[in-house]
């Protein structure tokens, strides 16, 4: 999984509670991404980072925040979890090369909000 | 304009046959078109990618065909094997922000 770990791998939480997911990379890649994957929707970008403390919103950012204080760590926080945020969350990293924008994915975190 | 439409949703192919998955896009600014393969319980993994300056790219049994005028691209898997059974995603990107726009995925089953 290209030196990417995600924690936790599985989590069940209650509606209204805050949740933080962690992505850790050992590749020293500049770009990091958080996606959610739901049946019929493919992968949808939540937030991404292009450097330490540099982040931007993706297409489904409402209800989520991120932080990146170190190159290797990218945190995704659900401020107040809702049932609609039940999903599988993937972190990805990339290092832009001249000829490609390859993204490498972590193993995913399955989050269930009850 | 940001969408990538992928078809079919699911596909069953006999072992040894050709699997074909299609994608269409609207945004002519897209300049990178990858295909990803995902096995259950795993993250997607890059399979093959193409840029619009070529019409075809082949890597082993996997080929991308690209039709710039029709704004379509497709993945062909020759001599499909049971180990190819997975979900396949097409995606597209434009160079300015390195974000990928994803198709909805195709679940491919290869029958032995």
């Amino acid at each position: 999984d290209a030196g990417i770990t995600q924690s936790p791998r599985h989590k069940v939480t209650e509606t209204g509670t805050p949740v933080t997911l962690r992505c850790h990379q050992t590749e020293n890649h500049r770009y990091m991404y958080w996606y959610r994957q739901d049946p019929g929707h493919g992968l949808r970008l939540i937030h991404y980072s292009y450097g330490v403390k540099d982040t931007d919103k993706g297409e489904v950012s409402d209800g989520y925040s991120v932080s990146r204080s170190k190159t290797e760590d990218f945190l995704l926080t659900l401020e107040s979890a809702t049932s609609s945020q039940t999903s599988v969350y993937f972190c990805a990293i990339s290092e832009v090369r001249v000829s490609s924008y390859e993204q490498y994915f972590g193993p995913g975190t399955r989050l269930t909000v009850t | 304009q940001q969408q990538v439409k992928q078809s079919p949703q699911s596909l069953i192919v006999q072992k040894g046959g050709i699997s074909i998955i299609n994608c269409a896009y609207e945004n002519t600014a897209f300049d990178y078109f990858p295909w990803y393969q995902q096995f259950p319980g795993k993250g997607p993994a890059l399979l093959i990618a193409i840029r619009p300056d070529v019409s075809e790219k082949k890597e082993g049994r996997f080929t991308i065909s690209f039709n710039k005028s029709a704004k379509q691209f497709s993945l062909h898997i020759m001599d499909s094997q049971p180990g190819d059974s997975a979900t396949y995603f097409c995606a597209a990107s434009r160079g300015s922000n390195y974000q990928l726009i994803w198709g909805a995925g195709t679940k491919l089953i290869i029958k032995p």
Side-chain angles (χ1 to χ4, degrees), chain A residues 25 29-30 32 49 51-53 67-71 73:
Chain A
Q25 61 151 328
H29 282 2
R30 180 182 173 191
M32 298 185 76
S49 171
V52 173
K53 298 186 179 177
S67 66
R68 191 170 178 200
S69 58
K70 298 184 290 184
T71 298
D73 289 324

Side-chain angles (χ1 to χ4, degrees), chain A residues 45-64:
Chain A
L45 182 66
I46 305 171
H47 282 278
Y48 68 102
S49 171
Y50 44 95
V52 173
K53 298 186 179 177
D54 290 323
T55 65
D56 207 348
K57 296 178 180 180
E59 63 178 303
V60 290
S61 59
D62 288 347
Y64 301 95

Side-chain angles (χ1 to χ4, degrees), chain A:
Chain A
D1 289 322
I4 309 169
T5 56
Q6 293 184 233
S7 58
R9 293 293 314 279
H10 302 270
K11 186 168 182 68
V12 179
T13 192
E14 293 185 348
T15 297
T17 60
V19 177
T20 295
L21 308 183
R22 179 181 183 238
C23 177
H24 178 79
Q25 61 151 328
T26 58
E27 305 296 318
N28 203 35
H29 282 2
R30 180 182 173 191
Y31 290 84
M32 298 185 76
Y33 309 81
W34 276 109
Y35 290 94
R36 60 178 291 173
Q37 184 174 40
D38 304 289
H41 289 277
L43 287 101
R44 291 182 291 175
L45 182 66
I46 305 171
H47 282 278
Y48 68 102
S49 171
Y50 44 95
V52 173
K53 298 186 179 177
D54 290 323
T55 65
D56 207 348
K57 296 178 180 180
E59 63 178 303
V60 290
S61 59
D62 288 347
Y64 301 95
S65 63
V66 292
S67 66
R68 191 170 178 200
S69 58
K70 298 184 290 184
T71 298
E72 57 266 36
D73 289 324
F74 193 31
L75 303 180
L76 176 71
T77 297
L78 290 65
E79 303 291 345
S80 177
T82 67
S83 59
S84 65
Q85 293 175 313
T86 292
S87 187
V88 180
Y89 291 86
F90 286 101
C91 174
I93 63 174
S94 73
E95 190 62 56
V96 175
R97 297 182 177 87
V98 172
S99 60
S100 71
Y101 322 120
E102 298 173 17
Q103 292 189 11
Y104 301 94
F105 284 79
T109 293
R110 183 173 294 276
L111 176 67
T112 302
V113 183
T114 61

